[in-house]
Amino acid sequence: IIRNGGEPLILVTNTISSSRHGALGMNEALKFYFTKDEKPTVGTIINTTGMSISILASPGDGSEPRDTSIFELTKVPVIQGMQTYYSYEQWKKSLAGLDNMMLSSCVYQPEFDGQIITVTVATREVIETHCGKKNTFLPIKDRVDKVCKLAVKWARLKDIPNKDKKVAIIFHNIPPRND
């Protein structure tokens, strides 16, 4: 992010609040760290947590539909950095790029929150520790760089007057016909 002219701010929090652990929870953490006087203090958010954060942070009892995103309070683009349960070698060989579990949790569900879906940034690897083998996610450097560049560009987009923005809309005709 720094190499691209941005300033990183890292947030680690529980999804839901916990007075026992002193965790604000995602809702309050977003407000506290990313807004001031209801205005954003950041230009973009990169989220690497899968699932719908809106539902995880405030699950309710399921009787009411959730029609707002937790990220709306920040008023900035939210970019989803995806992980996969594939190892790096499996990921390189895969045409899909994501396993079925992560397709759901890193693509479908974040779309409910209005996140911008990007690329896979980490693979799951088995590493040896002093306690034995451990599964962990390790970054794919060029993909992390790509997401960081996107985040900085999205943050700068708000400073460009609308009349100077160029937007392309691509329509896909399926099934292809001439009528």
Side-chain angles (χ1 to χ4, degrees):
I1 291 175
I2 293 169
R3 281 195 305 266
N4 293 291
E7 184 178 336
L9 172 62
I10 299 168
L11 172 64
V12 179
T13 187
N14 290 2
T15 307
I16 56 174
S17 63
S18 169
S19 57
R20 179 176 170 203
H21 297 107
L24 293 174
M26 188 61 80
N27 244 341
E28 290 304 312
L30 287 171
K31 288 178 196 171
F32 186 80
Y33 292 107
F34 296 159
T35 66
K36 183 175 183 175
D37 300 326
E38 298 185 9
K39 293 185 178 163
T41 58
V42 296
T44 312
I45 295 171
I46 299 172
N47 179 35
T48 58
T49 304
M51 313 301 249
S52 168
I53 302 301
S54 297
I55 293 171
L56 288 176
S58 181
D61 63 6
S63 63
E64 298 289 324
R66 179 151 325 278
D67 58 356
T68 59
S69 167
I70 190 172
F71 295 113
E72 287 180 32
L73 65 98
T74 64
K75 301 178 179 102
V76 298
V78 180
I79 295 172
Q80 178 70 31
M82 300 181 289
Q83 307 86 30
T84 181
Y85 283 122
Y86 288 148
S87 69
Y88 182 76
E89 291 306 317
Q90 290 172 315
W91 172 76
K92 278 178 44 176
K93 292 176 185 173
S94 168
L95 292 177
L98 283 178
D99 56 278
N100 289 336
M101 176 67 178
M102 288 304 198
L103 190 59
S104 172
S105 63
C106 288
V107 177
Y108 307 148
Q109 293 183 44
E111 284 185 346
F112 297 146
D113 292 338
Q115 294 179 55
I116 300 164
I117 306 304
T118 61
V119 297
T120 304
V121 296
T123 56
R124 186 176 74 168
E125 306 298 332
V126 178
I127 61 170
E128 195 68 46
T129 72
H130 66 281
C131 295
K133 292 182 179 181
K134 174 185 168 185
N135 286 312
T136 190
F137 286 97
L138 296 178
I140 306 168
K141 185 183 180 329
D142 64 315
R143 294 306 191 90
V144 171
D145 291 343
K146 181 181 185 103
V147 170
C148 290
K149 285 178 187 173
L150 280 170
V152 171
K153 287 181 179 183
W154 273 99
R156 290 183 180 146
L157 194 58
K158 73 176 179 354
D159 297 326
I160 299 172
N162 286 343
K163 66 179 182 59
D164 296 331
K165 295 176 186 172
K166 296 178 181 174
V167 178
I169 300 173
I170 299 171
F171 292 102
H172 181 46
N173 186 23
I174 192 158
R177 305 186 319 212
N178 288 330
D179 60 347

